[in-house]
Every structure is written in C-alpha cells, then in structure tokens.
Amino acid sequence: MACRICSGRLHPFADFGSQPLSDAFAAPGGPADPFAFDLAVGVCADCSMVQLLEEVPRERMFHAGYPYLSSGSSVMRGHFESLAKRLLATELSGPDPFVVELGCNDGAMLSVIADAGVRHLGVEPSGGVADVAAAKGVRVRKDFFEAATAAAVLAADGPADVVYAANTLCHIPYLDSIMEGLDTLLRPGGVFVFEDPYLGDIVERASFDQIYDEHFYYFSATSVRGLAHRHGFELVDVERLPVHGGEVRYTLARRGARTPAPAVAELLAAERAAALHDPATLQRFADRVAATRERLVALLTGLREQGARVYGYGATAKSATVLNYCGIGPDLITFVSDTTPAKQGRLTPGSHIPVRDPGAFADPYPDYAVLFAWNHAEEIMAKETGFAAAGGTWILYVPEVHLV
Ligand code: SAM
Ligand code: TMP
Ligand code: ZN
C-alpha cells in the first residue's frame, strides 16, 4: 500500500473490518445495504500522513441525498459565525474581497459572509445541502472542488483572497489536485484556511469513531506541513479548536509570503515529544480501541439482560464505525434519536437501528442513552436536562466507556 500523498510505505495500525457508507440511511423494508468496504488506517513512514487504506468513490458519498446539515448544532452555527466575522475583519477587509468555501454545506459560514454583502462562492457537490445554502442567499456552485474547478472559478470570478474549508479537506483523497487548484485560485498573498479533526486529539482520546469512509485523512501539523511543502506552500498558523472532539485550524500561504506564527513550531514540537506518528504510539491507540469495544458490548449486553431501556442519541456518521465494529444492532439499542430530517424514519447504515425524531426520545425517556454525538455533549446535555431529571444515564465511550 502506498501513501496517497507521497507514495511512501504505509504502516497499517487499526482495522475496523467491513463497513457500510456512514451516511447511507436506508428506508425500512428497502433493499439491503448495497455497498461495503474495508475500513482500516495506516501511517506513512515517509511523510507521516495518517490515511485510510481503501478509498470510497466520492460520488457514492457526496450526492443529492447527502443528509448531513452543518447548522444542526447551535454551537457549530456560533463557531462558523465567529470565524466568518473574523475573516471579514482581517483577510477580507481590503477592497472588493472574494472568499471561496469548499464544502459549504447548508451555508452555516457563507450565509454570514453573504449577509455582509461580500463576494463569495461555495463549492458544494451535495445538491440537497447546496440548495439549503442557496435558499439562504449563498452563491453556490454544485461541484467537487479540484484543479479544473479552480480554473473555472478563476475565469469567472477572479482570484480569491481566502479559500476556506471546514471538515471537508480531510474528506478529499486527491489532495494533489486540490493544492494545484489552490495555487491557481489564490491571490499571491492569499491564504488557505482549513479545519479538521486533529490526529493528536484522536490518539489522546481514543476517539476511533472519527475514522469512517468520509474521513480519508487524519491531519497533524507535521503531515500538513509536509503536504504544503510539496506544493510550494507553507504552514503559517495553527489553532487548536474545541469543536467536533478536537480539531486544528491550519493556515497555508505561499512559501515565503508570510512569517509563520510561533504556534506552528510549538505544535510541531509537541507532536515530536508525543511521538505522535510512531507505530508504537498508534498501536497503543488501537489496543485502547479494542478494549473500548469489549467494554461497550459487555455493558449493553448486561443492560439488555436487566431489561433496561437503551436508546442512542445522534445518528452521527461516526456512529456507523462504532455500531458496525462492535456488532451493535436493534437488539441492544431500540432506536437512535436525531434532528436531521433526512435520517428520520430510516435505519442506521449496516446496523439497521431505526432513527426517530427527538420527540420520541422523551416519550418515555429511556433508562440509558448512548451519546453518539459526544462531540456536542455540552449542547445536548444542556437541552436534555429532562432525561437526567427522569433518572436517565448517559453512556459515553470516549476516551473510554463511562456513565454520566
Ligand atoms: N463545512 C461543513 C461543516 O463543517 O459543517 C460541512 C462539512 S461536511 C462533513 C463535508 C462536506 O464536504 C459535504 O457537504 C460534502 O458534500 C463536501 N465535499 C466533499 N468533497 C468535496 C469536494 N471535492 N469539494 C467541495 N466539497 C466537497
Ligand atoms: P456530527 O457529530 O457529525 O456533527 O453529527 C451530529 C449528529 O447528531 C447529526 O446527525 C445531528 C445530530 N444531533 C442531534 O440529533 N441533536 C443535537 O442536539 C445535535 C447537536 C446533533
Ligand atoms: Zn506519505
């Protein structure tokens, strides 16, 4: 197996077996899940990039029926609004600025830019969510971003001051084409800002459910710096973010265009000190994950034997890895509550647990709820105080199985 970035040798370190598409919520009684792939991750011995060993074709994941909506979390709406305001006050404060967002989804970030009257474009291949953004006044091109898209956008709109991507770059295996596109589209002094789940947090928290079909890469400052260098760019800033279980926001500029912030050298040093990319470190992560599976299955099996009522909370893409890796089905979790309209009334991928609207969660409350949307724990626990008041107990499995 060769690294998708540098063709170096990949060292596999965790294998979750055969998995469905994490966002394929089938209708009950419909055809069986049509697609499965082997979910396993490896680290490149040469450039340190952690990546999936098998690539799922992009059209199978990102299409008109892609269900995920960025605005489903009020914390995330606030997160994107403050980022948009920061960009407007800094990189986009010159004359007639232009910003492009890759994977703008339902317009959580770009609607703030649009409301400010600033030139923008969202590039979003998933037609359903792109329509939601367009209805908010966001200008969207329904397309995958790649080198050819960048050339077409440049021809139509001119160069961009900022290209931004949240929880999207790690979804894209073909980063050589993306970097070529950035070189085409960005102004000489422009920046590429992107944020994705951070390998350091995944390893520290044993948050193995960050690993699923759509997350092809698991970035670190070390691997992103290497990627940037290969394409004439430089990593000039990093910022740790608390959202989605721990992310890093990276800023790339053309080599020599900006002085790197001290935070870059600090994070690189921390990754070296933690031996983050060492096969031994990653093997310890895999061992913790195997222990989590054992404990979670034992806990749920015991609860079934006691006759306890157990629901799931948040039919996240992440939960597909947990449910299918652990072999958890409707015999252990009656249903999963979720706010996303396109998931409700359907079945979780591979594990076939019904997904119901949040009203069902309180009618009546279960004894236990597995918090699959653990990355939104604060927001969810604040709004589900009735569950705790009714004597309900949360089950979390990150960083290890525990009850709250
Ligand atoms: N940015 C939003 C957020 O952070 O909530 C949405 C993230 S969502 C997990 C990933 C998005 O990337 C999807 O809406 C998907 O359609 C989009 N996407 C996938 N490949 C892409 C590509 N090559 N160019 C642009 N968007 C892409
Ligand atoms: P995410 O972890 O990828 O953002 O997905 C979160 C999922 O959880 C998404 O399907 C929406 C759902 N959700 C709820 O059902 N209730 C909530 O309060 C929140 C924040 C998310
Ligand atoms: Zn490599």
Side-chain angles (χ1 to χ4, degrees), residues 224-248:
V224 166
R225 185 184 59 158
L227 169 72
H229 277 186
R230 295 177 69 80
H231 295 275
F233 282 83
E234 195 170 4
L235 177 60
V236 295
D237 206 358
V238 289
E239 183 185 357
R240 304 280 299 255
L241 303 173
V243 297
H244 286 313
E247 302 205 315
V248 169

Side-chain angles (χ1 to χ4, degrees), residues 68 72-73 244 313-316 318 338-340 343 373 375-376 379-380 383:
Y68 182 73
S73 151
H244 286 313
Y313 202 104
T316 56
K318 291 185 288 296
D338 196 284
T339 51
T340 314
K343 297 181 182 179
N375 45 313
H376 303 293
E379 174 177 351
I380 290 171
K383 85 177 162 193

Side-chain angles (χ1 to χ4, degrees), residues 48-372:
S48 302
M49 187 66 85
V50 172
Q51 57 201 277
L52 294 190
L53 304 186
E54 187 175 333
E55 176 180 341
V56 173
R58 62 188 189 177
E59 289 80 7
R60 284 196 179 270
M61 299 185 283
F62 309 116
H63 45 67
Y66 179 71
Y68 182 73
L69 294 171
S70 308
S71 298
S73 151
S74 61
V75 169
M76 290 312 297
R77 287 199 299 276
H79 172 81
F80 290 126
E81 184 179 346
S82 54
L83 183 270
K85 287 187 171 152
R86 196 205 289 185
L87 288 179
L88 288 168
T90 56
E91 303 291 340
L92 300 174
S93 60
D96 191 28
F98 178 46
V99 54
V100 174
E101 183 178 5
L102 319 184
C104 70
N105 197 269
D106 64 8
M109 199 290 278
L110 278 187
S111 59
V112 182
I113 302 280
D115 289 349
V118 165
R119 270 198 318 131
H120 64 275
L121 180 70
V123 181
E124 175 51 72
S126 297
V129 299
D131 287 340
V132 179
K136 294 176 185 165
V138 172
R139 208 173 140 243
V140 193
R141 178 187 174 107
K142 285 187 192 171
D143 214 344
F144 287 96
F145 185 83
E146 56 191 344
T149 321
V153 173
L154 179 77
D157 294 306
D161 299 274
V162 178
V163 175
Y164 173 70
N167 307 298
T168 295
L169 199 72
C170 77
H171 293 54
I172 305 180
Y174 40 99
L175 289 186
D176 46 352
S177 179
I178 300 295
M179 296 305 296
E180 186 187 329
L182 290 169
D183 197 27
T184 301
L185 185 55
L186 279 175
R187 253 183 230 294
V191 286
F192 177 42
V193 180
F194 65 99
E195 55 196 69
D196 283 294
Y198 177 49
L199 179 68
D201 288 311
I202 295 173
V203 169
E204 190 183 319
R205 300 173 185 201
S207 46
F208 66 100
D209 55 347
Q210 294 283 12
I211 300 168
Y212 55 92
D213 55 353
E214 294 170 18
H215 286 177
F216 190 82
Y217 292 112
Y218 305 85
F219 296 134
S220 62
T222 306
S223 62
V224 166
R225 185 184 59 158
L227 169 72
H229 277 186
R230 295 177 69 80
H231 295 275
F233 282 83
E234 195 170 4
L235 177 60
V236 295
D237 206 358
V238 289
E239 183 185 357
R240 304 280 299 255
L241 303 173
V243 297
H244 286 313
E247 302 205 315
V248 169
R249 179 178 289 153
Y250 305 89
T251 302
L252 307 191
R254 286 198 176 77
R255 197 178 296 168
R258 299 207 183 185
T259 307
V264 174
E266 285 163 20
L267 193 56
L268 289 167
E271 291 175 2
R272 267 195 307 275
L276 181 58
H277 308 88
D278 259 29
T281 305
L282 298 170
Q283 187 55 51
R284 276 196 297 279
F285 160 82
D287 294 345
R288 287 172 70 197
V289 173
T292 293
R293 166 163 72 172
E294 245 175 65
R295 289 187 193 127
L296 184 60
V297 172
L299 173 65
L300 294 178
T301 310
L303 291 175
R304 179 180 56 191
E305 279 158 16
Q306 290 167 25
R309 197 190 343 253
V310 183
Y311 299 165
Y313 202 104
T316 56
K318 291 185 288 296
S319 70
T321 297
V322 181
L323 294 169
N324 290 285
Y325 169 64
C326 298
I328 298 167
D331 55 325
L332 294 176
I333 294 179
T334 315
F335 70 83
V336 183
S337 158
D338 196 284
T339 51
T340 314
K343 297 181 182 179
Q344 293 163 0
R346 296 187 166 243
L347 302 174
T348 58
S351 47
H352 302 143
I353 303 175
V355 181
R356 301 184 61 187
D357 67 87
F361 184 69
D363 186 27
Y365 283 117
D367 304 303
Y368 293 85
V370 184
L371 187 52
F372 292 115

Side-chain angles (χ1 to χ4, degrees), residues 3-8 10 44-49 51:
C3 170
R4 198 74 162 73
I5 302 292
C6 78
S7 303
L10 285 183
C44 175
D46 292 339
C47 78
S48 302
M49 187 66 85
Q51 57 201 277

